[in-house]
Every structure is written in C-alpha cells, then in structure tokens.
Amino acid sequence: MVTVLKNFFLIFFAAGITGSGIAQDVSYDKKLGAENAKLVEQEMGIYHHDSLSRLVNAVGQKLVSRLKKNPFEFKFFLADSPEPNAFALPGGYIYITRGILPLIQTEDELAGIMAHEIIHVTERHSVKQMRKGVIGGVLQLPGNLINAVTGTQIGNVLNTPVALSSRVFISKYSRGHDQEADSDGVQLAASAGYNANALADALERLSKGIELVTGEAEKKDYFSDHPFTPKRAADIRNDAPKHKPVNSPHVTKSKEMFQGNFNKLCFGPNPKQGIFKDSLFIHPDLGFSLIVPSDWKTFNKPASVGSYTEKVDAFIVLNIVDSAKSAREIGEKVKEKAGKSEELIVQSAIDTTINHNNAYLLRLKSSDKNKEVLVALLWIEFEGKVFSLVGAFAPPNKQVVHEALCSFRKSQKEELETVVQYELQVVQAKKSETIDQLSERTGNKLKLPLTALINDMDQKNPLSENSQVKIIRSFPYNPH
C-alpha cells in the first residue's frame, strides 16, 4: 500500500535526473520549489502572524545577504503545523513551523535553524537526494488513495485531493548533507553576527522536548528529517570556536524584544482549519460538522479532512470543490467519466438531500469480480459552497461509510461553543514566585515541565521579578 502511494513522487522527481551529477541548472530547483510550495500550502497551510512573519523574513534576509553566491530568490514562511520542525524546498523556499517557535529562545537560535535550511537550498541537497531516489514524505495526488484501496486506476476518474501525511517534499537528507548544512550554516549565521553555538542550544532543547512529550529519549532523529541531534549538537559545539560572530546588529535588540513577538501565537491544533473532538469534526469558520467512524484514524489538512482504517483499506475524505456549479452538475460530469472506464460500474446516481441540503449521490463499484470495492461520491450544497465527500471501501464497511457521509450538517451552537483557541502569551513574573505559582496565577494550560522547557528555565528555581515567561492560555474561538 505504502509503495503505491509513493509512486507519483518516485516517478515525477526522478524524471530527468540521471548520471553521477545533477543534470539540471538552478532553473530546475526554482520550478520544483514553486510547484511544491503550492502543495505545502494545501498540505500544511501558511500561518499568518504579522510580527513573527516580519521577524522570520528579516532574519532570513539578513542571512541571505551574507551568502557569497546566491542564484535564488529566498522566501520565508510560517507553516501552519503544530509539529516542531523547519524545512526547505528547492529554489529558496524556507518554512518554519509555528510548532517549533515556542522552543526558540533567542534570535541567534532562530538564525541558526534558518541558516541550516538556507544551506540545504544553496547546496541543492534536495535535488541531490532525488538523484539517489531518496524521497521524504508522501502527498497523494487526486484519486491515488482510491487506486491504493482498489488496486486499480479507478481513482483517475476523480478529482479529490487526499493527503494522509503531514509532509510534502521534505527530503530525508543524508548524514553528509546535514553535517554540511550544520557546518556551513553555523558559519553563515556567524557571518551575520549570530552566536555559533545557538543552533546546538536549540537542537538540545528540541530533543528534550521530544523526550518529555513521548516519554522516551530520542533514539534516532527528529521527525526523520535530520540525524541524531545529540551528536549534531556536539559536532556544532566542537566547530563553533572556528566561527566568531562579526559585529552586526540583530533584528531585535534584546531577548525580551525577540520573545515579545510571540504573543498570540497559535499553539496546538489551529481551529481555523477545524478540529476533531473524538470522532466529531467541527469546522467553526465554515460552520459544518461531520461524524467519522470512531475506530478510524483521522487527518485534517487545509485542502481536505477525513478518516481511514488502520490498514488504509477504506477511507472517507471531504473537500471543497467548484462552487460555480451545482452538486448535480459536478456529479453528472464525474458519472459520465466513470461510465467510460472499463474498471468501474455505475450502480446509481440520484438527487437527494442531506440534513436539508441539496445533494447528489453517485455510487460506483469496481468491475473486478475478485476484489469488490465500492466507491460512494456525495456532493452537498452548503452555505454557497459545494462540498465533496468520497468513500472507498469493501462491502462490510458500506453502512459505516454511508452513515459518515450522511452525517454532514450545519454545526450546532453547543458544538461551536466547545471549540477553544490555545495561544502563547508572554507574561511577567512576580518576585520569587515559581513556575508553578505563576502558572496558577495566569491560567497557564501547559504542563509545568513543558512550560519550563519552552522558557529554558529550571522548574524548581524561583523566577526573577519582571522576567518574561511564555505560557499557554485558552480562549473561546471566534470564527473570522
């Protein structure tokens, strides 16, 4: 199954990459980066936060200005992911997830992380990895998941973006590439006036955070995109004395000013993309709810949301389609295309209503008598938009998929009231109070060990008066 889902990337990215060198000039990197940047936006989303976006861009451009050779136009983004990570696309696209930001203490640490990713781009590490056939992450193209479930090309008649992975094109760099990005990145950061040890500080804190969250010491790497971090940190510290930072002013004048940019940073799942509460999905901004099978896994991306079995042999996915056409017009077009396929049998196609919303239901099945697979496609008109719900499954799952598809409805007031937004806020400590006392006073929702970690403080030591402390607060979510 996994092999089937990877086929597109293995074919697409390997095309034209031959021999022992890189055949393409940098225009190839730019084209590849631009194409995948669109996928990142669909897969993760771009997070908008004025002060942090300005900060990340300013630090990034400061670093880029120190490059001796730069054939790329660098662009810097905040990725709307709660996972702590940073990654680069070919051609100069650098992403910092909002999930890594709370762990960063200083501008020097942010610069160290960004410089590492910049070197991946300038040294064309992603393209070199593609030549070796090493591709990290899976983004399933229209219909690919149905193809995987059915073992056929049935999905090719559909236009349903589906993504189960939180990664798009994030190469699993070789150890040599990451070592080069660390060494040259530290040198780049120092040339822009940043502490050469700062990247090691950030990596060690990240490794400790993984241990706190998972309950296990990090054994290999973080999110499989970088080598074992304790070894990386040690190598960086050994190399740091060679790179004395030049005298160059920082973007922010102090640690306090740097961390002041973090106020109102979304923490954890972003309600703007909708949230799961067990098997109930609520999208407060679009105003709909959906109930998925309780024992299925779930995914939630800007372009799609859905649920699937552990074996990925059945799934349900929802996304918004062309609102310029009616549900029936869209469904009839797919029906016509399906009718021309030798692998599909059209079972039924009807106009219907789902919880007072006009809808069109198309039922298909595979023509393979040895492997009967059913496909249900439902288009629903709701609040001026047309939503597509697709299910692919074996006959035993017919009832549970039907119930899930028909559960689409307007969100109830009580459901919307349960949606909360978690935000990072910077507060000031009182004289001699502990993190425990400050958390109780300020309504901090983050566990104490993690609160100590994101502030690089000892949980037991009293805080200095007026020292800044990052905490997490919750608020009722108001759709924008």
Side-chain angles (χ1 to χ4, degrees):
M1 183 72 68
V2 173
T3 301
V4 174
L5 300 183
K6 289 183 178 178
N7 280 346
F8 174 79
F9 272 146
L10 294 177
I11 294 171
F12 178 79
F13 289 130
I17 304 175
T18 58
S20 59
I22 303 176
Q24 290 77 13
D25 60 23
V26 295
S27 64
Y28 179 76
D29 302 55
K30 295 175 181 178
K31 179 176 182 292
L32 194 61
E35 290 170 349
N36 279 273
K38 296 176 183 177
L39 299 183
V40 170
E41 189 167 353
Q42 294 175 4
E43 180 78 345
M44 290 186 180
I46 302 302
Y47 181 67
H48 301 285
H49 185 292
D50 290 344
S51 62
L52 281 172
S53 295
R54 285 194 299 269
L55 174 63
V56 166
N57 184 66
V59 172
Q61 297 301 340
K62 179 176 169 66
L63 291 166
V64 168
S65 70
R66 299 290 176 163
L67 290 170
K68 295 178 180 178
K69 294 181 179 180
N70 177 25
F72 303 112
E73 180 183 350
F74 278 84
K75 299 179 177 66
F76 302 92
F77 303 93
L78 297 178
D80 194 2
S81 170
E83 295 179 355
N85 209 350
F87 60 95
L89 298 181
Y93 297 82
I94 307 294
Y95 297 84
I96 305 294
T97 68
R98 58 179 174 82
I100 201 173
L101 289 171
L103 290 163
I104 298 174
Q105 303 300 310
T106 65
E107 184 178 324
D108 298 78
E109 291 181 4
L110 176 62
I113 291 169
M114 296 178 69
H116 174 97
E117 301 302 335
I118 288 170
I119 297 300
H120 277 314
V121 172
T122 59
E123 296 304 312
R124 307 184 71 194
H125 289 159
S126 294
V127 178
K128 292 174 183 176
Q129 285 302 102
M130 292 187 309
R131 177 173 55 83
K132 296 178 181 178
V134 181
I135 305 300
V138 177
L139 176 69
Q140 289 158 235
L141 275 276
N144 275 15
L145 187 54
I146 291 181
N147 292 347
V149 172
T150 63
T152 70
Q153 297 301 307
I154 288 176
N156 294 352
V157 305
L158 305 177
N159 186 23
T160 306
V162 180
L164 301 186
S165 170
S166 61
R167 302 177 194 161
V168 183
F169 180 70
I170 309 174
S171 290
K172 297 185 179 182
Y173 300 113
S174 69
R175 184 174 297 276
H177 287 164
D178 252 316
Q179 288 174 341
E180 183 178 20
D182 280 343
S183 179
D184 290 0
V186 165
Q187 183 176 356
L188 175 62
S191 73
Y194 294 111
N195 186 333
N197 281 299
L199 176 59
D201 295 338
L203 291 175
E204 288 171 345
R205 195 174 306 111
L206 178 58
S207 185
K208 186 176 180 181
I210 292 172
E211 183 177 350
L212 284 174
V213 171
T214 65
E216 295 182 0
E218 189 181 12
K219 296 177 181 177
K220 186 178 179 183
D221 52 23
Y222 68 90
F223 299 110
S224 302
D225 300 325
H226 302 268
F228 185 48
T229 50
K231 177 66 165 60
R232 286 182 67 196
D235 290 344
I236 291 168
R237 294 199 190 284
N238 289 334
D239 201 37
K242 304 175 187 176
H243 308 297
K244 300 294 183 183
V246 301
N247 186 17
S248 178
H250 284 29
V251 174
T252 53
K253 295 181 180 180
S254 65
K255 178 180 178 180
E256 289 73 25
M257 183 178 293
F258 173 77
Q259 294 194 350
N261 288 285
F262 287 59
N263 269 312
K264 294 188 176 182
L265 170 66
C266 178
F267 188 87
N270 189 349
K272 189 174 182 63
Q273 294 185 13
I275 62 166
F276 273 102
K277 287 184 171 292
D278 298 322
S279 59
L280 173 65
F281 179 75
I282 308 169
H283 201 303
D285 282 50
L286 296 178
F288 74 85
S289 295
L290 181 75
I291 301 173
V292 301
S294 59
D295 57 343
W296 288 20
K297 295 182 178 295
T298 61
F299 65 93
N300 180 21
K301 307 297 177 185
S304 59
V305 63
S307 180
Y308 57 100
T309 59
E310 182 142 1
K311 294 181 180 179
V312 198
D313 56 2
F315 80 94
I316 299 163
V317 61
L318 176 149
N319 66 292
I320 300 177
V321 292
D322 187 357
S323 298
K325 298 179 181 178
S326 68
R328 191 176 201 282
E329 288 173 322
I330 298 170
E332 283 289 312
K333 187 174 181 180
V334 175
K335 175 188 171 185
E336 179 183 357
K337 194 173 181 181
K340 297 177 182 179
S341 169
E342 295 180 356
E343 296 180 305
L344 286 170
I345 297 174
V346 177
Q347 290 186 301
S348 63
I350 60 170
D351 293 302
T352 185
T353 57
I354 301 294
N355 295 309
H356 310 293
N357 301 296
N358 292 332
Y360 184 89
L361 175 62
L362 175 63
R363 292 192 180 278
L364 313 172
K365 73 173 183 177
S366 62
S367 58
D368 186 352
K369 295 180 180 179
N370 295 320
K371 185 179 181 181
E372 185 178 4
V373 176
L374 306 177
V375 180
L377 301 102
L378 180 66
W379 292 271
I380 303 176
E381 297 173 5
F382 178 77
E383 300 293 339
K385 299 178 176 64
V386 177
F387 291 80
S388 166
L389 291 98
V390 180
F393 49 92
N397 283 315
K398 181 176 181 179
Q399 184 61 31
V400 69
V401 170
H402 178 76
E403 291 174 357
L405 297 181
C406 293
S407 71
F408 181 98
R409 55 174 169 75
K410 183 176 181 178
S411 298
Q412 299 172 4
K413 180 182 177 182
E414 294 78 10
E415 293 170 345
L416 294 173
E417 290 175 348
T418 67
V419 180
V420 297
Q421 168 87 58
Y422 291 95
E423 289 183 356
L424 186 152
Q425 293 197 346
V426 181
V427 298
Q428 289 188 324
K430 292 184 177 180
K431 185 177 181 180
S432 299
E433 74 177 340
T434 63
I435 288 180
D436 190 355
Q437 292 169 331
L438 178 141
S439 294
E440 185 175 357
R441 173 173 64 84
T442 59
N444 178 30
K445 299 297 183 181
L446 193 62
K447 292 181 179 179
L448 296 182
L450 287 171
T451 301
L453 178 71
I454 67 171
N455 288 284
D456 202 27
M457 296 175 173
D458 189 315
Q459 185 178 334
K460 299 178 181 179
N461 290 345
L463 303 171
S464 301
E465 187 175 13
N466 295 326
S467 60
Q468 288 189 347
V469 181
K470 292 178 285 187
I471 63 168
I472 305 300
R473 282 177 170 156
S474 64
F475 303 89
Y477 178 72
N478 293 315
H480 301 108

